[in-house]
Amino acid sequence: MAEFVRLAEVVNKKKDMRIVSVTVIPTIADCSGRIWFTDLQLQEGSVLAGYAPHTETCLQKFREAGEIKAPVWFNGVVRSEETVVLFNMGKTSAPLDIHIYPKSDMAAGTVRLAQGVGGQRVSFPGAVEAEDDIALLAESRECTRNGAAFQKEGFYQYSAAWDSKHKVALEGGKTARLLFTMQEMQEGDDVR
C-alpha cells in the first residue's frame, strides 16, 4: 500500500532580493523500497497554504445550468489601507484582474496589494498620478498604466474559492477607486 506524506520546509533568503532559481537535491539514507516525488510547490509567506491542483483541472469556466457564467465585477473605494473581501462562487481559485484609479498623485512604491494576511504581495515602484488606470491583469499576465507597460514587483493576484481577502494599501490619507474582475472557474474533467 502506497503512503503519501506531505513535507514542508522553510527556505530563508540571505538577502532581501528576488530569487531566480532553486535547486532541490533529494537525499535518501538508510531506506528500502520506492519513493516517488510527485510535486514541488514554492510559496511566499510564513504559513503553509493548501494543495494546488494541476492546472489541467482548473481550465474550465464556471457553468450554471450548462451555460458559462459571465465574469463578475466588484467596485470599491479605498482610503489609505483596507481589506477587501470578494465572493468567488466558482469551485476553485480564479485569476483576478484589478484596475486601480488613484484620485490623487501617489509617491513611488506606495500602492501595494496582497492576499489574505499578506501573501502574494505586489507593489508598483513607479509614482502614479491622479486618474491613471493601473491594470494588474492576471488573466493575460500583464501590468499596464494607461495602456502602456508598467513595472510591478511581485505577483499577479487570484481569488480563492468562496471568500477571498485582498489587502489594498495606498499612500497615507489618499484614495483610489478599484475594479476587480474575475471569471469564476470550476474543476475540469479528470484527464489522467
Side-chain angles (χ1 to χ4, degrees), residues 11 13 34 62 74 79-80 119 133 143 150 157 165 168:
V11 177
K13 298 189 305 184
R34 293 183 181 177
F62 187 61
F74 299 92
R79 182 172 176 86
S80 297
D133 176 2
C143 181
F150 189 56
Q157 306 292 286
K165 296 170 183 66
V168 179

Side-chain angles (χ1 to χ4, degrees), residues 9-184:
E9 227 19 80
V10 174
V11 177
N12 292 315
K13 298 189 305 184
K14 293 180 182 178
K15 294 181 180 179
D16 190 20
M17 298 176 72
R18 195 179 109 214
I19 296 173
V20 291
S21 70
V22 174
T23 302
V24 177
I25 303 171
T27 305
I28 313 282
D30 195 25
C31 295
S32 63
R34 293 183 181 177
I35 296 176
W36 289 275
F37 293 92
T38 59
D39 294 294
L40 176 65
Q41 176 178 334
L42 300 175
Q43 63 190 41
E44 177 184 37
S46 61
V47 179
L48 183 63
Y51 166 73
H54 189 282
T55 55
E56 285 179 356
T57 66
C58 301
L59 296 177
Q60 288 190 7
K61 295 178 179 177
F62 187 61
R63 296 173 184 272
E64 289 183 326
E67 297 293 319
I68 294 174
K69 186 177 174 191
V72 293
W73 307 71
F74 299 92
N75 286 299
V77 176
V78 170
R79 182 172 176 86
S80 297
E81 185 171 332
E82 296 291 338
T83 297
V84 177
V85 179
L86 305 178
F87 295 97
N88 176 354
M89 303 312 291
K91 304 296 183 192
T92 190
S93 298
L96 187 60
D97 290 348
I98 303 168
H99 288 264
I100 303 168
Y101 305 96
K103 299 312 288 175
S104 55
D105 296 351
M106 294 188 203
T110 60
V111 178
R112 300 178 308 278
L113 301 169
Q115 292 185 223
V117 294
Q120 289 294 115
R121 289 184 294 254
V122 65
S123 63
F124 305 95
V128 297
E129 298 176 5
E131 300 306 322
D132 274 347
D133 176 2
I134 309 302
L136 183 65
L137 307 173
E139 189 78 34
S140 61
R141 312 297 283 179
E142 59 185 329
C143 181
T144 64
R145 175 175 143 180
N146 303 323
F150 189 56
Q151 184 182 1
K152 71 167 182 65
E153 292 178 353
F155 300 92
Y156 291 99
Q157 306 292 286
Y158 70 91
S159 175
W162 299 105
D163 66 338
S164 187
K165 296 170 183 66
H166 302 270
K167 293 177 94 174
V168 179
L170 308 171
E171 185 174 341
K174 299 209 175 169
T175 303
R177 184 170 52 92
L178 290 103
L179 172 63
F180 296 86
T181 308
M182 80 175 116
Q183 172 65 62
E184 294 166 319

